[in-house]
Amino acid sequence: MAALTELEDAINKANPHILGRDQGWFKTWSQGGKQGDYASALKLIKEFEGCHLTAYPDPLSGGEPYTIGYGTTRYPGGRRVSRGDKITVIEADMFVRTEIDQIAKKLSETVPHWSAMTDGQQSALISFAYNLGAGFYGTAGFETISKRLRERDWSAVPSAIELYRNPGTNVEAGLLRRRRAEGELWRSSLPKQPEVQQDPAKLTPSSPFSARLTPHITLGEFALGQEARRFDHQYQVDTAAELAAFLERARTAFGGKPVIVTSGYRPPAVNRSVGGAKNSEHLFSGPGTGAVDFWINGADMHAVEKWCDQNWPFSLGYAAPNFVHLGRRADGQRRRWDYS
């Protein structure tokens, strides 16, 4: 640490601006190797931990664990912080960023649906774990928040976070403020439900392929951009709009990752040429009948398959990790099958 202090002094003498947070190197360093943007976690942690350049005792025990910087109790090498330790502001910043990365890695391995969360949701949990331990999920005392995360009951997570505030202690008031800030960050970062453009009366089989069924899915995607696969009837457009609305929900559920359509409408000639079943849902053969095969770029398709199974009441064909078949028939019956 002494060497870092000497280096900091030398750099400041040579160029007092080079260590500024507005410099290009800082953005590269602070985000290097990350899979997410945890700026919100960093902001919360710094706000509630404060920066202490001299080690101080735990407020509950009056002794160990000693803390330094922005809530650091162990240095990156693993050594415990000891009474009397001193560090610089730069070291404090490095320590907290290193720990955030380590916590994010741990949570990504233990918390269900992590990859489907937005950066803000992940940041809220990182701040929570920074304060209470990265191994909280599934352990004794954390049953409520573990249940909410496991069941993907995301609207109930803020109230679950609030439970962990050491009731009746001299730190409860401060922890409650922190828990509420984490809960608000989580709530404000939930994936937004899209305003789906479901007005088939304004979209017809002859509409441009660029016309949008939903904010992110076009009419042309159901035809794979091929004129030979263009819809022939209005009821086909209506069914496509229903399917696209569900695809939009899936996109939102998995963090806004792009939905890739691999098969939509197959006119009879096309269906025969690809070896499709005679009664394939891809024929869109009547009102309320149709199908789309898709995958979500960057998502675990087994998880996508499971989510669709829980949320789509009609036809579902299992083909993960390659694709999911999403369809419906006029009778509205639930159907499931496996392509393997």
Side-chain angles (χ1 to χ4, degrees):
M1 289 188 292
L4 284 173
T5 302
E6 293 175 8
L7 177 61
E8 180 185 357
D9 290 342
I11 291 173
N12 279 323
K13 287 178 181 177
N15 186 338
H17 303 294
I18 196 66
L19 293 178
R21 276 27 175 190
D22 58 345
Q23 300 296 306
W25 70 266
F26 186 80
K27 182 176 181 181
T28 301
W29 169 72
S30 66
Q31 293 300 319
K34 283 191 176 71
Q35 297 302 308
D37 179 0
Y38 303 132
S40 297
L42 182 66
K43 181 176 183 294
L44 270 184
I45 290 166
K46 286 189 170 183
E47 175 184 347
F48 285 98
E49 296 288 349
C51 185
H52 303 268
L53 302 183
T54 300
Y56 63 93
D58 180 78
L60 286 178
S61 70
E64 293 186 343
Y66 283 89
T67 303
I68 204 166
Y70 296 101
T72 296
T73 57
R74 285 182 181 272
Y75 296 112
R79 182 174 72 82
R80 287 180 178 273
V81 174
S82 301
R83 187 172 70 174
D85 284 357
K86 295 180 183 296
I87 59 173
T88 67
V89 172
I90 286 184
E91 288 173 314
D93 195 73
M94 289 172 62
F95 295 158
V96 68
R97 290 173 184 274
T98 298
E99 191 163 353
I100 284 175
D101 287 347
Q102 292 170 345
I103 290 172
K105 183 176 185 300
K106 174 71 173 179
L107 297 184
S108 72
E109 296 169 350
T110 57
V111 175
H113 315 300
W114 179 262
S115 63
M117 296 178 190
T118 65
D119 289 340
Q121 288 175 282
Q122 293 177 358
S123 289
L125 291 184
I126 289 170
S127 175
F128 181 84
Y130 192 93
N131 181 231
L132 294 168
F136 74 87
Y137 179 79
T139 60
F142 292 93
E143 291 85 358
T144 300
I145 191 167
S146 296
K147 184 174 188 292
R148 298 292 181 260
L149 293 171
R150 183 173 60 254
E151 296 178 355
R152 201 165 176 164
D153 187 4
W154 284 357
S155 63
V157 167
S159 59
I161 285 176
E162 243 183 72
L163 297 175
Y164 304 93
R165 59 176 191 265
N166 287 353
T169 68
N170 63 339
V171 297
E172 179 181 8
L175 285 177
L176 181 57
R177 287 195 298 273
R178 180 172 184 157
R179 297 290 90 89
R180 286 176 174 170
E182 291 162 349
E184 180 54 35
L185 173 59
W186 173 278
R187 188 181 296 107
S188 64
S189 302
L190 286 170
K192 301 295 188 294
Q193 291 296 331
E195 295 181 9
V196 179
Q197 181 193 331
Q198 280 198 70
D199 190 358
K202 295 182 180 179
L203 289 180
T204 68
S206 60
S207 293
F209 275 171
S210 59
R212 295 188 177 275
L213 291 162
T214 71
H216 300 99
I217 299 170
T218 65
L219 188 67
E221 288 177 77
F222 276 77
L224 302 186
Q226 301 170 16
E227 283 295 331
R229 295 182 181 228
R230 181 180 283 280
F231 287 127
D232 299 304
H233 305 286
Q234 183 62 41
Y235 64 75
Q236 295 171 328
V237 177
D238 298 347
T239 302
E242 181 181 1
L243 293 167
F246 187 81
L247 294 182
E248 194 76 40
R249 285 180 58 197
R251 185 184 196 279
T252 300
F254 287 87
K257 295 180 174 69
V259 170
I260 311 299
V261 173
T262 59
S263 185
Y265 175 45
R266 297 180 197 155
V270 172
N271 190 59
R272 287 193 298 271
S273 71
V274 300
K278 291 182 178 180
N279 62 342
S280 172
E281 293 173 340
H282 286 284
L283 289 165
F284 284 73
S285 56
T289 299
V292 62
D293 296 343
F294 74 99
W295 58 284
I296 297 181
N297 191 19
D300 178 348
M301 285 305 295
H302 291 284
V304 173
E305 193 174 76
K306 182 178 179 181
W307 183 87
C308 290
D309 182 64
Q310 294 170 343
N311 291 278
W312 181 248
F314 307 120
S315 300
L316 199 67
Y318 305 126
N322 300 314
F323 66 91
V324 172
H325 172 95
L326 188 79
R328 64 158 300 146
R329 301 181 194 179
D331 60 13
Q333 294 296 305
R334 174 186 172 89
R335 292 177 172 85
R336 297 291 185 269
W337 64 87
D338 196 321
Y339 286 101
S340 62

PDB file of all heavy atoms in Angstrom, residues 103-134:
ATOM      1  N   ILE A 103     -18.580  -9.913  -5.756  1.00  0.00           N
ATOM      2  CA  ILE A 103     -19.954 -10.186  -5.324  1.00  0.00           C
ATOM      3  C   ILE A 103     -20.833 -10.506  -6.527  1.00  0.00           C
ATOM      4  O   ILE A 103     -21.642 -11.440  -6.490  1.00  0.00           O
ATOM      5  CB  ILE A 103     -20.518  -8.983  -4.538  1.00  0.00           C
ATOM      6  CG1 ILE A 103     -19.812  -8.870  -3.176  1.00  0.00           C
ATOM      7  CG2 ILE A 103     -22.036  -9.109  -4.346  1.00  0.00           C
ATOM      8  CD1 ILE A 103     -20.163  -7.610  -2.414  1.00  0.00           C
ATOM      9  N   ALA A 104     -20.689  -9.727  -7.597  1.00  0.00           N
ATOM     10  CA  ALA A 104     -21.491  -9.967  -8.802  1.00  0.00           C
ATOM     11  C   ALA A 104     -21.241 -11.370  -9.337  1.00  0.00           C
ATOM     12  O   ALA A 104     -22.186 -12.065  -9.751  1.00  0.00           O
ATOM     13  CB  ALA A 104     -21.168  -8.922  -9.862  1.00  0.00           C
ATOM     14  N   LYS A 105     -19.998 -11.799  -9.332  1.00  0.00           N
ATOM     15  CA  LYS A 105     -19.671 -13.151  -9.805  1.00  0.00           C
ATOM     16  C   LYS A 105     -20.337 -14.202  -8.926  1.00  0.00           C
ATOM     17  O   LYS A 105     -20.933 -15.160  -9.425  1.00  0.00           O
ATOM     18  CB  LYS A 105     -18.163 -13.356  -9.814  1.00  0.00           C
ATOM     19  CG  LYS A 105     -17.718 -14.715 -10.349  1.00  0.00           C
ATOM     20  CD  LYS A 105     -16.206 -14.809 -10.409  1.00  0.00           C
ATOM     21  CE  LYS A 105     -15.756 -16.125 -11.075  1.00  0.00           C
ATOM     22  NZ  LYS A 105     -16.218 -17.313 -10.356  1.00  0.00           N
ATOM     23  N   LYS A 106     -20.264 -14.024  -7.604  1.00  0.00           N
ATOM     24  CA  LYS A 106     -20.880 -14.975  -6.674  1.00  0.00           C
ATOM     25  C   LYS A 106     -22.392 -15.026  -6.866  1.00  0.00           C
ATOM     26  O   LYS A 106     -22.992 -16.112  -6.924  1.00  0.00           O
ATOM     27  CB  LYS A 106     -20.540 -14.568  -5.236  1.00  0.00           C
ATOM     28  CG  LYS A 106     -21.230 -15.392  -4.157  1.00  0.00           C
ATOM     29  CD  LYS A 106     -20.693 -16.790  -4.067  1.00  0.00           C
ATOM     30  CE  LYS A 106     -21.272 -17.527  -2.874  1.00  0.00           C
ATOM     31  NZ  LYS A 106     -20.780 -18.917  -2.772  1.00  0.00           N
ATOM     32  N   LEU A 107     -23.028 -13.874  -6.964  1.00  0.00           N
ATOM     33  CA  LEU A 107     -24.489 -13.844  -7.116  1.00  0.00           C
ATOM     34  C   LEU A 107     -24.917 -14.451  -8.446  1.00  0.00           C
ATOM     35  O   LEU A 107     -25.957 -15.108  -8.532  1.00  0.00           O
ATOM     36  CB  LEU A 107     -25.002 -12.409  -6.996  1.00  0.00           C
ATOM     37  CG  LEU A 107     -24.780 -11.721  -5.640  1.00  0.00           C
ATOM     38  CD1 LEU A 107     -25.426 -10.338  -5.628  1.00  0.00           C
ATOM     39  CD2 LEU A 107     -25.321 -12.554  -4.485  1.00  0.00           C
ATOM     40  N   SER A 108     -24.119 -14.231  -9.487  1.00  0.00           N
ATOM     41  CA  SER A 108     -24.473 -14.800 -10.797  1.00  0.00           C
ATOM     42  C   SER A 108     -24.456 -16.319 -10.762  1.00  0.00           C
ATOM     43  O   SER A 108     -25.129 -16.975 -11.566  1.00  0.00           O
ATOM     44  CB  SER A 108     -23.504 -14.298 -11.877  1.00  0.00           C
ATOM     45  OG  SER A 108     -22.223 -14.889 -11.748  1.00  0.00           O
ATOM     46  N   GLU A 109     -23.702 -16.882  -9.832  1.00  0.00           N
ATOM     47  CA  GLU A 109     -23.591 -18.335  -9.716  1.00  0.00           C
ATOM     48  C   GLU A 109     -24.616 -18.933  -8.767  1.00  0.00           C
ATOM     49  O   GLU A 109     -24.859 -20.142  -8.794  1.00  0.00           O
ATOM     50  CB  GLU A 109     -22.180 -18.700  -9.224  1.00  0.00           C
ATOM     51  CG  GLU A 109     -21.075 -18.324 -10.207  1.00  0.00           C
ATOM     52  CD  GLU A 109     -19.686 -18.431  -9.602  1.00  0.00           C
ATOM     53  OE1 GLU A 109     -19.596 -18.609  -8.357  1.00  0.00           O
ATOM     54  OE2 GLU A 109     -18.695 -18.341 -10.350  1.00  0.00           O
ATOM     55  N   THR A 110     -25.217 -18.106  -7.909  1.00  0.00           N
ATOM     56  CA  THR A 110     -26.099 -18.649  -6.871  1.00  0.00           C
ATOM     57  C   THR A 110     -27.555 -18.172  -6.942  1.00  0.00           C
ATOM     58  O   THR A 110     -28.455 -18.913  -6.553  1.00  0.00           O
ATOM     59  CB  THR A 110     -25.550 -18.293  -5.474  1.00  0.00           C
ATOM     60  OG1 THR A 110     -25.401 -16.861  -5.359  1.00  0.00           O
ATOM     61  CG2 THR A 110     -24.188 -18.943  -5.250  1.00  0.00           C
ATOM     62  N   VAL A 111     -27.780 -16.959  -7.417  1.00  0.00           N
ATOM     63  CA  VAL A 111     -29.140 -16.392  -7.407  1.00  0.00           C
ATOM     64  C   VAL A 111     -29.869 -16.771  -8.700  1.00  0.00           C
ATOM     65  O   VAL A 111     -29.370 -16.493  -9.795  1.00  0.00           O
ATOM     66  CB  VAL A 111     -29.089 -14.857  -7.260  1.00  0.00           C
ATOM     67  CG1 VAL A 111     -30.488 -14.261  -7.382  1.00  0.00           C
ATOM     68  CG2 VAL A 111     -28.475 -14.482  -5.914  1.00  0.00           C
ATOM     69  N   PRO A 112     -31.036 -17.407  -8.597  1.00  0.00           N
ATOM     70  CA  PRO A 112     -31.789 -17.785  -9.806  1.00  0.00           C
ATOM     71  C   PRO A 112     -32.191 -16.561 -10.630  1.00  0.00           C
ATOM     72  O   PRO A 112     -32.416 -15.485 -10.083  1.00  0.00           O
ATOM     73  CB  PRO A 112     -33.033 -18.490  -9.245  1.00  0.00           C
ATOM     74  CG  PRO A 112     -32.679 -18.883  -7.855  1.00  0.00           C
ATOM     75  CD  PRO A 112     -31.722 -17.837  -7.358  1.00  0.00           C
ATOM     76  N   HIS A 113     -32.264 -16.748 -11.938  1.00  0.00           N
ATOM     77  CA  HIS A 113     -32.752 -15.725 -12.873  1.00  0.00           C
ATOM     78  C   HIS A 113     -31.848 -14.497 -12.937  1.00  0.00           C
ATOM     79  O   HIS A 113     -32.279 -13.440 -13.394  1.00  0.00           O
ATOM     80  CB  HIS A 113     -34.188 -15.295 -12.521  1.00  0.00           C
ATOM     81  CG  HIS A 113     -35.115 -16.420 -12.221  1.00  0.00           C
ATOM     82  ND1 HIS A 113     -35.407 -17.419 -13.125  1.00  0.00           N
ATOM     83  CD2 HIS A 113     -35.803 -16.728 -11.083  1.00  0.00           C
ATOM     84  CE1 HIS A 113     -36.247 -18.277 -12.570  1.00  0.00           C
ATOM     85  NE2 HIS A 113     -36.485 -17.889 -11.340  1.00  0.00           N
ATOM     86  N   TRP A 114     -30.599 -14.629 -12.471  1.00  0.00           N
ATOM     87  CA  TRP A 114     -29.685 -13.473 -12.467  1.00  0.00           C
ATOM     88  C   TRP A 114     -29.544 -12.863 -13.854  1.00  0.00           C
ATOM     89  O   TRP A 114     -29.589 -11.646 -14.030  1.00  0.00           O
ATOM     90  CB  TRP A 114     -28.320 -13.906 -11.933  1.00  0.00           C
ATOM     91  CG  TRP A 114     -27.285 -12.829 -11.895  1.00  0.00           C
ATOM     92  CD1 TRP A 114     -26.307 -12.582 -12.801  1.00  0.00           C
ATOM     93  CD2 TRP A 114     -27.131 -11.823 -10.878  1.00  0.00           C
ATOM     94  NE1 TRP A 114     -25.539 -11.507 -12.423  1.00  0.00           N
ATOM     95  CE2 TRP A 114     -26.020 -11.008 -11.249  1.00  0.00           C
ATOM     96  CE3 TRP A 114     -27.808 -11.527  -9.691  1.00  0.00           C
ATOM     97  CZ2 TRP A 114     -25.581  -9.942 -10.479  1.00  0.00           C
ATOM     98  CZ3 TRP A 114     -27.377 -10.451  -8.921  1.00  0.00           C
ATOM     99  CH2 TRP A 114     -26.281  -9.671  -9.313  1.00  0.00           C
ATOM    100  N   SER A 115     -29.373 -13.692 -14.865  1.00  0.00           N
ATOM    101  CA  SER A 115     -29.149 -13.173 -16.216  1.00  0.00           C
ATOM    102  C   SER A 115     -30.371 -12.471 -16.789  1.00  0.00           C
ATOM    103  O   SER A 115     -30.265 -11.690 -17.736  1.00  0.00           O
ATOM    104  CB  SER A 115     -28.717 -14.307 -17.155  1.00  0.00           C
ATOM    105  OG  SER A 115     -29.744 -15.269 -17.280  1.00  0.00           O
ATOM    106  N   ALA A 116     -31.552 -12.733 -16.220  1.00  0.00           N
ATOM    107  CA  ALA A 116     -32.769 -12.080 -16.705  1.00  0.00           C
ATOM    108  C   ALA A 116     -32.997 -10.730 -16.040  1.00  0.00           C
ATOM    109  O   ALA A 116     -33.888  -9.983 -16.435  1.00  0.00           O
ATOM    110  CB  ALA A 116     -33.979 -12.988 -16.456  1.00  0.00           C
ATOM    111  N   MET A 117     -32.193 -10.405 -15.033  1.00  0.00           N
ATOM    112  CA  MET A 117     -32.361  -9.139 -14.314  1.00  0.00           C
ATOM    113  C   MET A 117     -31.689  -7.999 -15.062  1.00  0.00           C
ATOM    114  O   MET A 117     -30.695  -8.191 -15.768  1.00  0.00           O
ATOM    115  CB  MET A 117     -31.747  -9.243 -12.908  1.00  0.00           C
ATOM    116  CG  MET A 117     -32.416 -10.253 -12.005  1.00  0.00           C
ATOM    117  SD  MET A 117     -31.549 -10.329 -10.400  1.00  0.00           S
ATOM    118  CE  MET A 117     -32.336 -11.782  -9.691  1.00  0.00           C
ATOM    119  N   THR A 118     -32.209  -6.802 -14.879  1.00  0.00           N
ATOM    120  CA  THR A 118     -31.566  -5.610 -15.417  1.00  0.00           C
ATOM    121  C   THR A 118     -30.350  -5.265 -14.563  1.00  0.00           C
ATOM    122  O   THR A 118     -30.182  -5.769 -13.451  1.00  0.00           O
ATOM    123  CB  THR A 118     -32.531  -4.421 -15.420  1.00  0.00           C
ATOM    124  OG1 THR A 118     -32.863  -4.089 -14.055  1.00  0.00           O
ATOM    125  CG2 THR A 118     -33.813  -4.739 -16.180  1.00  0.00           C
ATOM    126  N   ASP A 119     -29.489  -4.384 -15.075  1.00  0.00           N
ATOM    127  CA  ASP A 119     -28.329  -3.950 -14.303  1.00  0.00           C
ATOM    128  C   ASP A 119     -28.754  -3.327 -12.976  1.00  0.00           C
ATOM    129  O   ASP A 119     -28.076  -3.495 -11.958  1.00  0.00           O
ATOM    130  CB  ASP A 119     -27.510  -2.941 -15.104  1.00  0.00           C
ATOM    131  CG  ASP A 119     -26.783  -3.574 -16.284  1.00  0.00           C
ATOM    132  OD1 ASP A 119     -26.601  -4.802 -16.272  1.00  0.00           O
ATOM    133  OD2 ASP A 119     -26.406  -2.834 -17.213  1.00  0.00           O
ATOM    134  N   GLY A 120     -29.868  -2.594 -12.977  1.00  0.00           N
ATOM    135  CA  GLY A 120     -30.341  -1.958 -11.752  1.00  0.00           C
ATOM    136  C   GLY A 120     -30.771  -2.972 -10.707  1.00  0.00           C
ATOM    137  O   GLY A 120     -30.493  -2.808  -9.505  1.00  0.00           O
ATOM    138  N   GLN A 121     -31.488  -4.010 -11.131  1.00  0.00           N
ATOM    139  CA  GLN A 121     -31.869  -5.066 -10.191  1.00  0.00           C
ATOM    140  C   GLN A 121     -30.638  -5.746  -9.616  1.00  0.00           C
ATOM    141  O   GLN A 121     -30.549  -5.991  -8.403  1.00  0.00           O
ATOM    142  CB  GLN A 121     -32.738  -6.107 -10.902  1.00  0.00           C
ATOM    143  CG  GLN A 121     -34.151  -5.653 -11.242  1.00  0.00           C
ATOM    144  CD  GLN A 121     -34.875  -6.713 -12.045  1.00  0.00           C
ATOM    145  OE1 GLN A 121     -34.644  -6.864 -13.246  1.00  0.00           O
ATOM    146  NE2 GLN A 121     -35.745  -7.455 -11.394  1.00  0.00           N
ATOM    147  N   GLN A 122     -29.685  -6.071 -10.483  1.00  0.00           N
ATOM    148  CA  GLN A 122     -28.457  -6.700 -10.010  1.00  0.00           C
ATOM    149  C   GLN A 122     -27.717  -5.774  -9.038  1.00  0.00           C
ATOM    150  O   GLN A 122     -27.195  -6.220  -8.014  1.00  0.00           O
ATOM    151  CB  GLN A 122     -27.567  -7.055 -11.196  1.00  0.00           C
ATOM    152  CG  GLN A 122     -28.142  -8.153 -12.083  1.00  0.00           C
ATOM    153  CD  GLN A 122     -27.273  -8.451 -13.293  1.00  0.00           C
ATOM    154  OE1 GLN A 122     -26.243  -7.808 -13.505  1.00  0.00           O
ATOM    155  NE2 GLN A 122     -27.687  -9.424 -14.093  1.00  0.00           N
ATOM    156  N   SER A 123     -27.700  -4.482  -9.349  1.00  0.00           N
ATOM    157  CA  SER A 123     -27.004  -3.525  -8.484  1.00  0.00           C
ATOM    158  C   SER A 123     -27.645  -3.453  -7.099  1.00  0.00           C
ATOM    159  O   SER A 123     -26.952  -3.324  -6.085  1.00  0.00           O
ATOM    160  CB  SER A 123     -26.994  -2.134  -9.132  1.00  0.00           C
ATOM    161  OG  SER A 123     -26.132  -2.106 -10.254  1.00  0.00           O
ATOM    162  N   ALA A 124     -28.972  -3.522  -7.041  1.00  0.00           N
ATOM    163  CA  ALA A 124     -29.660  -3.506  -5.742  1.00  0.00           C
ATOM    164  C   ALA A 124     -29.240  -4.700  -4.897  1.00  0.00           C
ATOM    165  O   ALA A 124     -28.978  -4.575  -3.694  1.00  0.00           O
ATOM    166  CB  ALA A 124     -31.174  -3.495  -5.949  1.00  0.00           C
ATOM    167  N   LEU A 125     -29.155  -5.878  -5.523  1.00  0.00           N
ATOM    168  CA  LEU A 125     -28.754  -7.080  -4.791  1.00  0.00           C
ATOM    169  C   LEU A 125     -27.275  -7.035  -4.418  1.00  0.00           C
ATOM    170  O   LEU A 125     -26.875  -7.553  -3.367  1.00  0.00           O
ATOM    171  CB  LEU A 125     -29.049  -8.329  -5.619  1.00  0.00           C
ATOM    172  CG  LEU A 125     -30.524  -8.681  -5.817  1.00  0.00           C
ATOM    173  CD1 LEU A 125     -30.658  -9.995  -6.587  1.00  0.00           C
ATOM    174  CD2 LEU A 125     -31.260  -8.795  -4.473  1.00  0.00           C
ATOM    175  N   ILE A 126     -26.452  -6.424  -5.260  1.00  0.00           N
ATOM    176  CA  ILE A 126     -25.032  -6.298  -4.938  1.00  0.00           C
ATOM    177  C   ILE A 126     -24.846  -5.426  -3.698  1.00  0.00           C
ATOM    178  O   ILE A 126     -24.059  -5.752  -2.802  1.00  0.00           O
ATOM    179  CB  ILE A 126     -24.256  -5.726  -6.141  1.00  0.00           C
ATOM    180  CG1 ILE A 126     -24.165  -6.776  -7.252  1.00  0.00           C
ATOM    181  CG2 ILE A 126     -22.865  -5.268  -5.721  1.00  0.00           C
ATOM    182  CD1 ILE A 126     -23.631  -6.240  -8.565  1.00  0.00           C
ATOM    183  N   SER A 127     -25.572  -4.313  -3.627  1.00  0.00           N
ATOM    184  CA  SER A 127     -25.493  -3.456  -2.438  1.00  0.00           C
ATOM    185  C   SER A 127     -25.961  -4.216  -1.196  1.00  0.00           C
ATOM    186  O   SER A 127     -25.338  -4.150  -0.133  1.00  0.00           O
ATOM    187  CB  SER A 127     -26.339  -2.196  -2.636  1.00  0.00           C
ATOM    188  OG  SER A 127     -26.374  -1.418  -1.450  1.00  0.00           O
ATOM    189  N   PHE A 128     -27.056  -4.954  -1.333  1.00  0.00           N
ATOM    190  CA  PHE A 128     -27.595  -5.773  -0.237  1.00  0.00           C
ATOM    191  C   PHE A 128     -26.540  -6.781   0.220  1.00  0.00           C
ATOM    192  O   PHE A 128     -26.269  -6.937   1.413  1.00  0.00           O
ATOM    193  CB  PHE A 128     -28.844  -6.489  -0.741  1.00  0.00           C
ATOM    194  CG  PHE A 128     -29.538  -7.362   0.267  1.00  0.00           C
ATOM    195  CD1 PHE A 128     -30.442  -6.829   1.168  1.00  0.00           C
ATOM    196  CD2 PHE A 128     -29.305  -8.729   0.292  1.00  0.00           C
ATOM    197  CE1 PHE A 128     -31.098  -7.643   2.092  1.00  0.00           C
ATOM    198  CE2 PHE A 128     -29.948  -9.553   1.204  1.00  0.00           C
ATOM    199  CZ  PHE A 128     -30.855  -9.011   2.106  1.00  0.00           C
ATOM    200  N   ALA A 129     -25.911  -7.463  -0.754  1.00  0.00           N
ATOM    201  CA  ALA A 129     -24.917  -8.487  -0.432  1.00  0.00           C
ATOM    202  C   ALA A 129     -23.621  -7.876   0.098  1.00  0.00           C
ATOM    203  O   ALA A 129     -22.942  -8.488   0.929  1.00  0.00           O
ATOM    204  CB  ALA A 129     -24.623  -9.324  -1.678  1.00  0.00           C
ATOM    205  N   TYR A 130     -23.273  -6.686  -0.349  1.00  0.00           N
ATOM    206  CA  TYR A 130     -22.079  -6.002   0.148  1.00  0.00           C
ATOM    207  C   TYR A 130     -22.202  -5.777   1.650  1.00  0.00           C
ATOM    208  O   TYR A 130     -21.232  -5.887   2.397  1.00  0.00           O
ATOM    209  CB  TYR A 130     -21.923  -4.673  -0.579  1.00  0.00           C
ATOM    210  CG  TYR A 130     -20.582  -3.992  -0.383  1.00  0.00           C
ATOM    211  CD1 TYR A 130     -19.543  -4.198  -1.280  1.00  0.00           C
ATOM    212  CD2 TYR A 130     -20.361  -3.134   0.696  1.00  0.00           C
ATOM    213  CE1 TYR A 130     -18.312  -3.575  -1.108  1.00  0.00           C
ATOM    214  CE2 TYR A 130     -19.140  -2.506   0.880  1.00  0.00           C
ATOM    215  CZ  TYR A 130     -18.116  -2.727  -0.024  1.00  0.00           C
ATOM    216  OH  TYR A 130     -16.906  -2.119   0.150  1.00  0.00           O
ATOM    217  N   ASN A 131     -23.413  -5.502   2.080  1.00  0.00           N
ATOM    218  CA  ASN A 131     -23.677  -5.230   3.490  1.00  0.00           C
ATOM    219  C   ASN A 131     -23.884  -6.502   4.316  1.00  0.00           C
ATOM    220  O   ASN A 131     -23.466  -6.586   5.470  1.00  0.00           O
ATOM    221  CB  ASN A 131     -24.907  -4.319   3.596  1.00  0.00           C
ATOM    222  CG  ASN A 131     -25.257  -3.940   5.026  1.00  0.00           C
ATOM    223  OD1 ASN A 131     -26.404  -4.093   5.435  1.00  0.00           O
ATOM    224  ND2 ASN A 131     -24.305  -3.438   5.789  1.00  0.00           N
ATOM    225  N   LEU A 132     -24.503  -7.531   3.697  1.00  0.00           N
ATOM    226  CA  LEU A 132     -24.913  -8.704   4.465  1.00  0.00           C
ATOM    227  C   LEU A 132     -24.210 -10.002   4.067  1.00  0.00           C
ATOM    228  O   LEU A 132     -24.435 -11.039   4.691  1.00  0.00           O
ATOM    229  CB  LEU A 132     -26.425  -8.891   4.324  1.00  0.00           C
ATOM    230  CG  LEU A 132     -27.252  -7.772   4.956  1.00  0.00           C
ATOM    231  CD1 LEU A 132     -28.709  -7.863   4.540  1.00  0.00           C
ATOM    232  CD2 LEU A 132     -27.148  -7.821   6.472  1.00  0.00           C
ATOM    233  N   GLY A 133     -23.389  -9.947   3.029  1.00  0.00           N
ATOM    234  CA  GLY A 133     -22.649 -11.135   2.635  1.00  0.00           C
ATOM    235  C   GLY A 133     -23.116 -11.693   1.299  1.00  0.00           C
ATOM    236  O   GLY A 133     -24.322 -11.851   1.072  1.00  0.00           O
ATOM    237  N   ALA A 134     -22.161 -12.013   0.434  1.00  0.00           N
ATOM    238  CA  ALA A 134     -22.497 -12.477  -0.915  1.00  0.00           C
ATOM    239  C   ALA A 134     -23.106 -13.866  -0.921  1.00  0.00           C
ATOM    240  O   ALA A 134     -23.697 -14.277  -1.924  1.00  0.00           O
ATOM    241  CB  ALA A 134     -21.251 -12.460  -1.801  1.00  0.00           C
TER     242      ALA A 134
END
